[in-house]
Amino acid sequence: MVGLLGLMGKAWGQAVATLTPDTIALGDQTTLSIRRALNYPSTDALSADGIVAVSQTFDTVTQTQHTVLTCFEPGEHTIHLSPTDSLTLVVNDVQIDTTSAEIRDIAPLQRVPYTFWEIFRWVLLAIGIAALAFGIWWMLKHREKVHELLVPSEPKDTRTPYERATQNLEELRRSQMWQAGKAKEYHTELTDIVRRFIEESTDIRATDMTSDETVEAVENGNWKVDSSLLRNIFTTADLVKFAKGEPLPYEHDRSMTEAKQFIDTLWDAVKPKEEEVPHE
């Protein structure tokens, strides 16, 4: 349909409007083209009488406005372009042939068989859950072994009490602790080494005893050791630690020498006897 719009003041002038096509089915689309107009209608102005303006573009070369229209109401619809000019859009309803169409009930739902991959996915999930549950159970049951595997343990000290004590005394001597003005720390470490040796090599709990209790326990042990060496060590240490005494240099060295002598004699008395190997 083509229409030559009449003069409406200075609004339209000699504008041309076309509707292609002018007859559509319900819900289809048509295009309204308006060329050489001074003012063009908007989508809101064209959306009337059941017609809906979907989109709108403008061709600057030909000075033409293209508007896509649709309608969902059957019948004839008027597109008003001006108070005196309009176009008609015919919308046909959808015809249903009820004579030949077969009306059927809604088909029931059909069960679709599972595919291999759907089943396999659920099997993998079940295996994963079972493996996780077993792993948690095993870790709880063997938590000590798991702790040993995850947390590296310190190397086991295979030295005898005598080897450990003599090496500690040698390290203390090399540290030159009392020469550096740390007499209290020196004698504290010295007596600790002796107490640990007594406790590791005998049944005396020397680390929990006082100096006098430790000396008395050693004397009651029926070992051929000179307990005066041990008493001298403790007396000098107690003088430094509790009375803030200042031993002479030779007294520091004497405590070290007496500690070595005491450890040597006590170890000779309590060390395990080597089993004799019978001669063939």
Side-chain angles (χ1 to χ4, degrees), residues 29-278:
Q29 294 180 348
T30 183
T31 302
L32 171 64
S33 301
I34 302 175
R35 181 162 49 93
R36 294 200 305 270
L38 296 179
N39 292 317
Y40 296 87
S42 64
T43 54
D44 292 337
L46 294 174
S47 297
D49 192 20
I51 297 176
V52 179
V54 179
S55 62
Q56 197 172 69
T57 59
F58 188 80
D59 187 349
T60 58
V61 176
T62 61
Q63 297 295 309
T64 303
Q65 174 185 275
H66 301 285
T67 305
V68 178
L69 305 176
T70 188
C71 185
F72 299 96
E73 298 179 9
E76 293 185 356
H77 300 270
T78 302
I79 304 173
H80 297 280
L81 303 177
S82 72
T84 59
D85 300 292
S86 63
L87 296 176
T88 301
L89 175 63
V90 179
V91 180
N92 296 324
D93 198 359
V94 178
Q95 300 296 324
I96 300 176
D97 187 2
T98 58
T99 59
S100 60
E102 182 181 356
I103 301 177
R104 299 180 180 179
D105 294 333
I106 298 176
L109 296 176
Q110 294 183 353
R111 184 180 298 276
V112 179
Y114 289 107
T115 63
F116 170 78
W117 290 111
E118 289 176 331
I119 299 175
F120 186 67
R121 179 178 58 187
W122 287 106
V123 171
L124 285 180
L125 179 61
I127 293 175
I129 294 175
L132 178 61
F134 176 79
I136 296 174
W137 170 82
W138 190 89
M139 291 181 65
L140 292 176
K141 185 176 181 180
H142 304 84
R143 62 181 63 185
E144 294 183 359
K145 293 183 179 179
V146 173
H147 180 76
E148 293 177 359
L149 294 175
L150 298 180
V151 180
S153 59
E154 296 181 358
K156 186 178 180 180
D157 191 351
T158 57
R159 296 175 298 176
T160 64
Y162 176 78
E163 293 172 339
R164 190 160 38 251
T166 53
Q167 290 177 12
N168 291 338
L169 287 176
E170 180 61 20
E171 292 175 0
L172 178 61
R173 184 187 67 81
R174 292 180 180 180
S175 69
Q176 296 186 347
M177 191 176 294
W178 69 264
Q179 291 90 333
K182 298 180 179 180
K184 180 178 180 180
E185 292 81 354
Y186 171 80
H187 285 277
T188 299
E189 179 64 22
L190 180 65
T191 54
D192 286 346
I193 293 173
V194 175
R195 288 178 184 277
R196 287 195 298 269
F197 169 74
I198 295 173
E199 186 165 303
E200 292 174 358
S201 57
T202 68
D203 58 354
I204 299 174
R205 307 294 297 178
T207 57
D208 298 329
M209 295 179 177
T210 64
S211 300
D212 292 338
E213 290 174 344
T214 304
V215 174
E216 183 179 357
V218 171
E219 291 175 343
N220 294 332
N222 296 324
W223 299 302
K224 295 180 180 180
V225 295
D226 188 357
S227 61
S228 63
L229 297 173
L230 185 61
R231 188 177 299 278
N232 292 339
I233 296 171
F234 286 149
T235 300
T236 303
D238 291 343
L239 177 66
V240 176
K241 291 188 293 183
F242 304 114
K244 298 183 180 180
E246 292 291 340
L248 296 174
Y250 81 91
E251 292 179 304
H252 298 300
D253 293 333
R254 184 185 63 189
S255 293
M256 175 65 71
T257 301
E258 290 177 339
K260 290 181 179 179
Q261 292 176 354
F262 174 77
I263 289 174
D264 288 341
T265 55
L266 181 59
W267 182 248
D268 288 339
V270 301
K271 67 180 178 180
K273 304 299 182 181
E274 296 181 0
E275 295 183 0
E276 295 184 359
V277 179

